[in-house]
Amino acid sequence: MMGYYAVLCPIRAKKLAAEKKGSCKHMAAMTRKEARAEAFRLLFETEFRTDASPEEVYALSKEEREFAEDDYIRTVYFGVREHLEEIDEIIVRHSNGWKPSRITPISRSAIRLCIYEMKYMDEIPNAVSINEAIELVKTFDDLKMRTFVNGVLH
């Protein structure tokens, strides 16, 4: 498992590289994949900022990582937070009784994001949402979690 720093580090690394080159590439429009990764990072970060409201987490993270304002990020992040109880009930139903609190924060964030996309964003094919969630887990979490996440989402 790579942990908190590894999840947030890619954005910081890109920012530092852009600053060295004297560009503002980190503020440019994002691809859907990049926006999904940023929404994932926000959800993950929320796991550790329990004393802050979603609005505060969003504002602080946006300032710290300087990501561009993006409708997808805002919609997914606040949508997951708004429907968290319902999303977590879906996780419990499809995870053989595992409570979300037993799932690693990285996998939990990826699963929540994916379920939100599948339930509320009809323009994104379910297969794409599932594949992207598994890719996030493969990148940032223990290899064993990939199989678990795949099973929960299928």
Side-chain angles (χ1 to χ4, degrees):
M1 181 164 49
M2 296 177 74
Y4 181 79
Y5 180 76
V7 171
L8 299 178
C9 186
I11 294 296
R12 293 192 191 283
K14 282 184 184 178
K15 179 181 172 189
L16 291 173
E19 286 172 357
K20 282 183 180 178
K21 291 180 183 177
S23 73
C24 290
K25 186 175 181 183
H26 62 280
M27 291 295 286
M30 292 186 218
T31 65
R32 173 59 59 89
K33 187 176 190 94
E34 292 168 335
R36 183 180 285 110
E38 194 59 55
F40 162 76
R41 287 182 184 94
L42 281 164
L43 291 168
F44 177 76
E45 192 169 348
T46 301
E47 298 277 337
F48 300 95
R49 290 189 172 178
T50 56
D51 57 329
S53 71
E55 292 78 12
E56 291 170 322
V57 171
Y58 183 85
L60 288 170
S61 297
K62 189 170 184 289
E63 182 180 316
E64 288 172 359
R65 294 196 296 275
E66 297 182 19
F67 58 84
E69 186 66 34
D70 184 273
D71 288 340
Y72 170 85
I73 295 171
R74 181 174 279 285
T75 298
V76 170
Y77 176 67
F78 289 109
V80 169
R81 300 306 304 162
E82 179 182 341
H83 298 281
L84 190 61
E85 195 172 304
E86 176 189 6
I87 290 169
D88 284 353
E89 288 172 9
I90 293 169
I91 293 172
V92 169
R93 276 198 316 266
H94 294 277
S95 63
N96 295 323
W98 276 50
K99 292 181 181 177
S101 61
R102 286 186 59 200
I103 302 168
T104 66
I106 292 170
S107 290
R108 185 169 52 241
S109 298
I111 292 169
R112 285 173 173 165
L113 188 153
C114 180
I115 290 172
Y116 181 83
E117 283 186 347
M118 291 191 305
K119 191 160 177 59
Y120 296 101
M121 301 185 85
D122 295 334
E123 70 275 14
I124 302 173
N126 289 351
V128 170
S129 296
I130 292 168
N131 185 56
E132 291 297 326
I134 292 168
E135 287 300 315
L136 288 167
V137 171
K138 279 180 12 183
T139 301
F140 297 113
D141 210 345
D142 188 277
L143 288 176
K144 296 175 194 170
M145 291 307 295
R146 179 180 65 182
T147 304
F148 174 79
V149 169
N150 191 37
V152 170
L153 295 174
H154 274 100

